[in-house]
Amino acid sequence: MLNSHKGLHSFSLLLVISLAAMLLSGCTVQTPTSPVTDNSEEAGESTNEADASVLTLSDIVNNGMAGTYVYHESSDEVEYIDAVVELGYYLANDSDSNYNDYIYLGVPDTTPLSFDRNSDAKIIVVGSPNSDNARVVPIRDSGYCYSEAISSLSIFDEINGTTFETAEEGESLLTQAGLGVMPLDEGGVLITSSSSEASFSWGQYQGTDFAEGTELVNTPYYIETNYGYYGASDAPYYYNNGYDVPYIQTKNGYFEVDLSNIEPGLYELVTYQDPDAGDYADSFVINIM
């Protein structure tokens, strides 16, 4: 067993904790208690198992399959949106702003939905929207990261085969490998790669034993500027740089998300549902063209 200051929580544990919180809440970095493990394959299983089947509009409407979809009107086919964002962190703020940028983590092996407004595709919502509109929030940066935050690089004794003493030295070793470190507001860091999927190896003394492994840096991340809590006691969490987009009501069992007035670019799309079990939001990453 590791000492409480040496190691990482497994990604699956963090995911369970994170999904229990509201989607728009920041996640607290946990104190590492177990070795680094690679659960990217397990995380990929969180995508809907029905993705492989062909659905029609009548399938989802008649069966009450509430959610957000891409609808191809000419073929009457409906697709799930794979680029789901599930958890995230507030980034450390090194400016005088009251806001902290927010970083969302996606699911490995998914990419943003490319949405061509000149095609016959529509983004539709089925169910009980609890608002007259959806929302889009511009994404200023994206890349890849290790699947969870760690408390400090000093939990390792070796990175990529080289022994080091301080977190700064560990960061230098990651930089030499084309990786980066992103500090978080509540403490801890994310290990990142700005342009492509990557990996790093680690070594760690656990008492007199030496453990080692290799971790993938393949979880998509998406950063939104000035997203968060204003700081005043009466100010809620909200998107200060997003845009409300209306629903176009139809008599065919769905509402269409109207993106006609949004500039092309990469966005988080948030749609809201109000089922009997309580409010919830679907959050996706889309590239609007």
Side-chain angles (χ1 to χ4, degrees), residues 77-92:
E77 291 185 2
V78 175
E79 299 176 36
Y80 291 98
I81 303 176
D82 286 332
V84 180
V85 288
E86 295 185 320
L87 55 96
Y89 306 91
Y90 288 99
L91 297 179

Side-chain angles (χ1 to χ4, degrees), residues 188-229:
V189 296
L190 281 174
I191 297 174
T192 64
S193 174
S194 60
S195 59
S196 62
E197 298 182 10
S199 64
F200 69 97
S201 64
W202 56 273
Q204 178 188 88
Y205 281 99
Q206 302 173 14
T208 58
D209 294 329
F210 188 75
E212 55 190 333
T214 299
E215 304 305 322
L216 295 177
V217 182
N218 69 337
T219 297
Y221 72 75
Y222 308 98
I223 299 177
E224 296 173 357
T225 300
N226 292 339
Y227 166 106
Y229 191 67

Side-chain angles (χ1 to χ4, degrees), residues 6-7 43 46 83 108 116 141 157 165-166 171 177 241 250 261 264:
K6 288 279 186 178
S46 65
D116 185 354
D141 195 12
D157 297 296
E165 296 293 333
T166 66
E171 183 173 351
N241 67 330
T250 76
N261 293 321

Side-chain angles (χ1 to χ4, degrees), residues 5-6 16 19 34 46 49 64 76 79 87 109 122 171 197 203 213 243 248 253 281 284 286:
H5 68 290
K6 288 279 186 178
V16 170
L19 291 178
S34 61
S46 65
E49 293 178 359
D76 194 38
E79 299 176 36
L87 55 96
D109 300 320
K122 301 177 179 180
E171 183 173 351
E197 298 182 10
Y243 310 96
I248 301 174
F284 311 95
I286 62 171

